[in-house]
Amino acid sequence: MLSQFGKYLNLTKPRVMTLVIVTGATALVMEGSFLSRPLEFVLVLLALYFSGGSANALNQYFERDLDARMSRTRNRRPLPKKQLSPAQALTFAIGIGITSVAIFIFWFNWLSALLALATILFYGLYYTLWLKPRTDLNIVIGGAAGAMAPLIAWAAASGTLAVTPAILFLIVFIWTPPHFWSLALYFKEDYRGVGLPMMPLVRGDNATYKQILVYTVALLAVSLSLILAGGGPLYLAVAVVLGALFLKKSINAKKRQLPRLSRALFGYSIVYLFGLFFTIVVDSLIF
């Protein structure tokens, strides 16, 4: 039973979903309504997991043949490993997607439900089937789906949207390209083998490193703008330090253009985002 559960869990890309849960929880803490209502707090996060997990499962369902040809995915995902059938994966993806939207409708509000549904359809269908195979800007546009958790969570808690969750959305949205491009540089031969137009293949390594640097500068600026929407002194100090390190590592990666440095930059980008959002939570609860 646990083994079968793990196979379905892998369809949701649990490591990616950790990001969704952390950013969604951060928005709930900043909004504040559910801090004294833990059941609703947890229920929002569960529904967020189901919506993001549905989008990821649809992505794996449609890309199962590509995943079977890529070294990065063939031994890690349940469909290439024949642990689940395509029909099981599709049924699961649709099921948890419907569950997510239903939770937002019946326990919270239509705005959060529509945002969750839009996220599932945008990533699971539009990004996977049309955007990703057609443009090297796929991750820039497609990154919007992974950044939606703060907006959905805020809408669930308040019934509205505001500047604060929009800034949280922008932080994740602008963070996504340098995060993913650094990995694409490391695994570019995988993408070449399946014919996906990732930026290192279409524009070359040097142009990709330049874009990473541009987005890192933009990320630093956007992260500091949260000061205008409730970020306190602790957040300001940590955002400056983490952002400066990100910028330094991006400059170094561009200068030397070594695979190990792009992989290290990918690793640091994860530390950066979790560190930043953890600090937002602490800062919001203290100040």
Side-chain angles (χ1 to χ4, degrees):
M1 185 69 175
L2 287 176
S3 174
Q4 194 71 0
F5 172 79
K7 295 170 187 177
Y8 283 105
L9 181 66
N10 282 341
L11 276 177
T12 68
K13 301 182 184 178
R15 288 190 292 183
V16 174
M17 289 307 301
T18 303
L19 162 67
V20 172
I21 296 304
V22 167
T23 58
T26 300
L28 290 178
V29 170
M30 293 193 78
E31 197 278 335
S33 297
F34 291 162
L35 289 178
S36 59
R37 295 153 62 186
L39 178 60
E40 284 91 341
F41 193 104
V42 172
L43 196 58
V44 170
L45 298 184
L46 178 64
L48 278 175
Y49 194 99
F50 283 166
S51 61
S54 173
N56 288 331
L58 285 171
N59 173 263
Q60 290 192 52
Y61 168 77
F62 288 118
E63 292 190 344
R64 60 190 183 277
D65 293 334
L66 294 181
D67 285 344
R69 295 161 57 193
M70 296 175 65
S71 63
R72 186 173 68 89
T73 53
R74 71 168 66 102
N75 295 318
R76 294 175 55 192
R77 294 185 176 175
L79 289 174
K81 293 173 69 176
K82 309 296 184 184
Q83 294 176 329
L84 296 171
S85 71
Q88 287 175 312
L90 182 59
T91 301
F92 174 74
I94 294 173
I96 62 173
I98 292 173
T99 301
S100 168
V101 174
I103 290 172
F104 282 122
I105 290 175
F106 293 110
W107 271 274
F108 301 103
N109 51 66
W110 277 94
L111 177 58
S112 58
L114 289 173
L115 290 173
L117 178 60
T119 301
I120 295 169
L121 296 177
F122 180 81
Y123 186 83
L125 300 180
Y126 174 70
Y127 168 78
T128 300
L129 296 177
W130 194 89
L131 193 67
K132 189 174 181 179
R134 283 175 171 81
T135 172
D136 62 303
L137 294 177
N138 46 26
I139 196 61
V140 177
I141 304 168
M148 285 294 293
L151 293 175
I152 299 171
W154 191 283
S158 68
T160 62
L161 296 176
V163 172
T164 298
I167 294 175
L168 297 179
F169 166 87
L170 283 174
I171 289 172
V172 182
F173 179 72
I174 296 173
W175 166 86
T176 301
H179 164 73
F180 193 84
W181 283 333
S182 59
L183 186 67
L185 283 161
Y186 189 82
F187 285 109
K188 65 181 178 181
E189 295 308 317
D190 256 4
Y191 294 112
R192 191 192 307 278
V194 296
L196 289 175
M198 307 310 293
M199 184 170 284
L201 300 176
V202 176
R203 304 194 191 188
D205 289 6
N206 193 53
T208 305
Y209 281 112
K210 286 181 180 178
Q211 286 298 308
I212 288 174
L213 186 55
V214 167
Y215 274 85
T216 303
V217 171
L219 177 61
L220 179 57
V222 170
S223 69
L224 295 180
S225 73
L226 191 63
I227 299 300
L228 304 176
L234 174 64
Y235 172 76
L236 175 61
V238 174
V240 169
V241 172
L242 289 177
L245 283 172
F246 204 156
L247 187 58
K248 180 181 178 181
K249 290 178 180 293
S250 297
I251 293 171
N252 189 41
K254 178 183 179 298
K255 182 178 179 180
R256 301 179 66 186
Q257 298 193 11
L258 299 174
R260 64 178 178 83
L261 292 181
S262 65
R263 185 63 182 263
L265 182 61
F266 169 79
Y268 177 76
S269 69
I270 298 172
V271 173
Y272 168 86
L273 198 70
F274 280 100
L276 196 71
F277 275 79
F278 177 76
T279 303
I280 294 171
V281 170
V282 174
D283 191 270
S284 298
L285 293 175
I286 293 177
F287 295 100

